[in-house]
Amino acid sequence: MTVVLVALLLVLFPHMALMAHIVKCRDWYLHRPLHMYHQSGNFIIGHIASYGGFTSSSALFTEEPPPALPEEFAVVPKSYQLILALTFAVKEINENPQLLPNITLGFNIYDSYADARKTYHATMLLLFTLEKFLPNYICSIQNNLTAVIGGLDAQISLHVATILDIYKIPQLIYGPAPVMNDKTPRIPFYQMAPQEGHQFAGILSLLLYFRWTWIGITVMDNDNGESFVQNVLPLFSQSGICFAFIERVPKHSFLIDGLAMMEQGANIHDKVMSSNANVVVVYGEAYSFVFFRWLPYLSKLEQMSNNVKSKVWITTAQMEFISLTFQRDWDATIFNGAIAFRIHSNYLPGFHKYVEGRNPFNAEDDDFIWDFWQHAFGCVFPHRVLDEVVGDICTGMEKVENLYESLFEMTVQGQSYSIYNVVFALAHALHAMSLARLKHSQMVNRGRQKLWKQQFWQLHHFLRGVSFNNTAGDTVSFNQNGEIISGLDVINCIIFPNQSLHKVEIGRIDPRAPPGQVFTIDEDAITWHGWFNQTQPLSVCTESCHPGFRKKVKEGEPSCCYDCIPCPEGKISIQKDTAECNKCLDEDYPSKNRDACIPKSRSFLSYGEPLGISLACFSLSFSLITALVLGTFVKHHDTPIVIANNRNLTYTLLISLLLCFLCALLFLGQPEKLTCLLRQTAFGIIFSVAVSCVLAKTITVVLAFMATKPGSRMRRWVGKGLANTIVLCCSFVQAGICTLWLATSPPFPDFDSHSMAEEIILECNEGSVTMFYCVVSYMGFLAIICFTVAFLARTLPDSFNEAKFITFSMLVFCSVWLSFIPSYLSTKGKYMVAVEIFSILASSAGLMGCIFFPKCYIIVLRPELNNREQLIRRKA
């Protein structure tokens, strides 16, 4: 009623507003906060701290809540550094004559107590008064609130923003930005932490760098945690990361829900520690680590309580390694070797000395330092305790630098560094705004008065354009979205047995770096947990598939869980964990283990190998024998046995057989263009001449026998003319076929990389297979005719009869070439060539042996049989 009455009087009697600063405000407001820190100045910076919380039950709004008691307050000592970073920055600015000259900065600091109701109350106090709570009216104390810094958690920032947005007061947050939905007004923030997208990309790069594809996820059970699960984890999955578990950590208010916290913590502990994932990514809030410090002491399983197994913990930038007072001596070595992402920080000269010289007795108006001192050092100030003093007495001379880093740090890092930069950003924006106002002021003497009364919503324009170098040498500026342009440090947390903490910078995420250098890490600088024996931990669902194997995903399992199966015949895998095996190039073949491609050797029937030498020797030997036979026949050309067998036809046959033996040499050696052209064509023509000669001899024998009969007309056909005609005609047909072959589709050098697994066969491509078979078929046709005629003439009288010998020779010839066909088709590579050479030599040797060796036997060894009388006697 009092507030309504005052407002009504101001409307009805406007002149009473002039008396507002004289009339004392009624003492009607919520309970005065336990902690506040005020320093006067021309411009006031508000700060909503996250200093601690109450262990009492939350308000039910059924009755007016009782005032909070100091005994129910639990302090997070490390958060006091956030307050000191602000006061240290204000001190430096006020002592700097170049920045805001003749103008002082002040501050008002209240605590949110991790409670929505108290956060709203603290924000209203920043806006309207320091001592009295009267919304929309500043009572008795001038309040030039310039901007508000806070809060540490996303939810606290949102509570503050809903009020500040009404009055257009700039808000600069140093924690994660709240998740906005479609129903939430688009509240502007200035975010001092880098974009979370950079952090998530950095975590993904870290996982991929160490090939950690099987990880666990723990997130806080709030909007930001759910946003992480819904929006970020799918990006991880697209890069091949799988999740062994996703645990949501409920948010508890300090010790209020202690039993529930322990129950749920035990479940989370057992789930995390029993998992085969060695890496756990933790996305939480600033004080989440208070919960995780319980984990080593929580387990429902007996075997878990004695399990010394550890994990690689990866924490996000908003999390800090902190302890409550009663956790100072708790064993935290389970987190040794953790990798933390931290807002990029740098050394601030003077801060260490500033903190060293501070104690409760020289920190005027600082209500925070008393509880910090008592909780950090485990002592009490008698005047701060209503009941009987229990425990050590605080002297105020205790050394802050002797505290564990989990309780307090002497260097500005992470969020503290952000707050320091926030204050300087505001100072530079105010400086720019004051210069702009003075330039447009008509009356210089009244310029400062106007400056005090200006609308601070105009500060937004100058904040967006801020860019400066801080005392640590880092550049501070905002992008178009009001987000600081900065990077992140990658930190390795080393926890010693005495629970002291040491942080080592092992990497960096710099969004402004060239592509490929955004994420850098020094693997050698990392200290892993002792459980991993100082070797890089593995975190995979399935051991890697070695080269020679491929992955086969198990049905119903994540893609990271698979079986390793060997690559099929003819395929290889040269890398670990390949999904598919690949074929080698045509010039290569798979190794025995199917893990590499080996260059194929080039194969052809050469003169240097045993088979080639053997065939060449046979070819030359038969050629020499043929030449000797030819010489023998030439020497004894006047003998009856030579005359009786048609000398010219015999010479032609012997010469063609000699050339047949020699043409086998064309098939040896590396195929060249000339040899490929001559191989089959020369063989076909020469062999056709040989077979034609045999055919002519056979027909001549038959006609000669028929001509001896009385009255026979065959005498006119017997003679050299008929034999020569047969040879020329039969040979001409084969020559025509070969000429057509060379003119249309000639043979050429080629290679076959498919027939043999480990060899590339250098061969002569026949060009036209049809023409090749025509050549072979024609020779077969001549051979069959010759064999048929010789077989029919085998019963003729012995004196004139070569038919028996020709029959046997053609039987050998046909047998060789009939067996050639399946042998040729069933072999590969140089052995195909060897089969053809063997067939040429064998068939030629068959003709030579069957036709000429009996005659040579008579000529050389039985010359007495080589006379006309003997032939006549044999005939009679």
Side-chain angles (χ1 to χ4, degrees), residues 636-638 642-643 645-652 720:
H636 300 87
H637 67 282
D638 292 329
V642 175
I643 297 172
N645 285 278
N646 194 331
R647 284 179 296 188
N648 293 334
L649 202 59
T650 298
Y651 296 156
T652 304
K720 296 180 181 179

Side-chain angles (χ1 to χ4, degrees), residues 737-778:
I737 295 173
C738 292
T739 303
L740 181 62
W741 184 8
L742 294 178
T744 56
S745 181
F748 59 90
D750 197 6
F751 63 90
D752 179 8
S753 57
H754 301 289
S755 297
M756 302 292 286
E758 301 179 5
E759 296 178 350
I760 295 178
I761 302 170
L762 300 182
E763 62 181 6
C764 287
N765 191 307
E766 306 303 346
S768 173
V769 178
T770 303
M771 297 303 296
F772 170 72
Y773 284 120
C774 286
V775 170
V776 175
S777 299
Y778 182 72

Side-chain angles (χ1 to χ4, degrees), residues 175-248:
V179 176
M180 301 295 186
N181 54 43
D182 295 336
K183 298 180 181 180
T184 306
R186 296 299 171 187
I187 301 173
F189 297 104
Y190 294 91
Q191 191 170 347
M192 298 306 295
Q195 295 180 26
E196 283 196 310
H198 298 321
Q199 181 177 196
F200 300 148
I203 295 174
L204 179 59
S205 298
L206 180 70
L207 296 174
L208 296 177
Y209 178 85
F210 288 112
R211 295 184 176 88
W212 291 332
T213 57
W214 184 242
I215 65 172
I217 301 290
T218 60
V219 299
M220 295 303 293
D221 192 8
N222 56 21
D223 291 340
N224 278 49
E226 194 60 31
S227 175
F228 178 81
V229 172
Q230 298 296 329
N231 301 323
V232 179
L233 296 191
L235 301 178
F236 284 21
S237 297
Q238 293 173 12
S239 298
I241 307 298
C242 302
F243 311 109
F245 58 85
I246 300 176
E247 287 295 311
R248 290 171 172 80

Side-chain angles (χ1 to χ4, degrees), residues 833-848:
V833 180
V835 166
E836 188 167 359
I837 294 175
F838 176 80
S839 299
I840 293 172
L841 296 177
S843 58
S844 300
L847 292 176
M848 172 69 69

Side-chain angles (χ1 to χ4, degrees), residues 510-523:
D510 187 1
R512 294 169 289 188
Q517 301 178 19
V518 174
F519 173 79
T520 56
I521 192 165
D522 182 5
E523 182 179 352

Side-chain angles (χ1 to χ4, degrees), residues 276-495:
N276 61 346
N278 287 328
V279 175
V280 181
V281 175
V282 183
Y283 180 81
E285 296 178 349
Y287 295 155
S288 301
F289 222 92
V290 171
F291 170 82
F292 285 100
R293 293 214 59 181
W294 279 95
L295 291 184
Y297 303 93
L298 301 175
S299 179
K300 288 184 175 182
L301 304 177
E302 180 65 27
Q303 64 271 25
M304 282 293 176
S305 59
N306 299 320
N307 191 355
V308 296
K309 180 180 178 181
S310 186
K311 306 289 183 183
V312 178
W313 299 85
I314 300 176
T315 62
T316 49
Q318 57 267 30
M319 293 183 63
E320 286 282 350
F321 192 93
I322 60 174
S323 300
L324 295 176
T325 304
F326 62 87
Q327 295 176 318
R328 70 171 69 226
D329 296 320
W330 284 15
D331 182 14
T333 53
I334 186 178
F335 304 107
N336 182 34
I339 298 177
F341 286 78
R342 183 187 68 185
I343 299 171
H344 172 64
S345 308
N346 217 331
Y347 176 74
L348 292 178
F351 183 77
H352 191 283
K353 185 177 181 180
Y354 174 76
V355 176
E356 275 184 338
R358 194 175 184 86
N359 62 64
F361 299 109
N362 64 14
E364 186 179 356
D365 296 328
D366 185 356
D367 291 341
F368 294 91
I369 193 170
W370 298 98
D371 282 321
F372 161 74
W373 210 268
Q374 291 184 138
H375 285 78
F377 293 103
C379 59
V380 294
F381 289 102
H383 71 280
R384 303 281 296 182
V385 180
L386 300 178
D387 300 329
E388 183 180 351
V389 176
V390 178
D392 298 333
I393 302 297
C394 294
T395 64
M397 296 296 106
E398 291 81 3
K399 300 296 184 182
V400 177
E401 57 267 29
N402 294 333
L403 294 172
Y404 288 160
E405 286 194 26
S406 62
L407 291 175
F408 191 81
E409 291 181 282
M410 297 296 292
T411 56
V412 172
Q413 296 182 359
Q415 286 95 349
S416 302
Y417 192 74
S418 294
I419 291 179
Y420 179 86
N421 288 331
V422 164
V423 178
F424 269 87
L426 286 171
H428 280 274
L430 287 169
H431 187 82
M433 188 172 71
S434 64
L435 291 177
R437 284 285 181 175
L438 289 173
K439 285 182 181 179
H440 295 86
S441 175
Q442 297 297 324
M443 300 180 65
V444 177
N445 293 333
R446 297 176 58 191
R448 286 183 59 193
Q449 295 179 8
K450 288 187 177 182
L451 184 63
W452 309 147
K453 297 179 181 178
Q454 61 192 301
Q455 300 294 321
F456 282 106
W457 58 265
Q458 298 175 356
L459 188 61
H460 288 286
H461 170 74
F462 296 95
L463 270 173
R464 293 189 186 98
V466 160
S467 181
F468 64 94
N469 290 334
N470 63 14
T471 56
D474 288 332
T475 301
V476 179
S477 60
F478 296 97
N479 61 19
Q480 65 273 17
N481 298 322
E483 299 165 329
I484 194 170
I485 303 174
S486 179
L488 294 145
D489 297 329
V490 186
I491 305 298
N492 184 210
C493 299
I494 304 171
I495 301 174

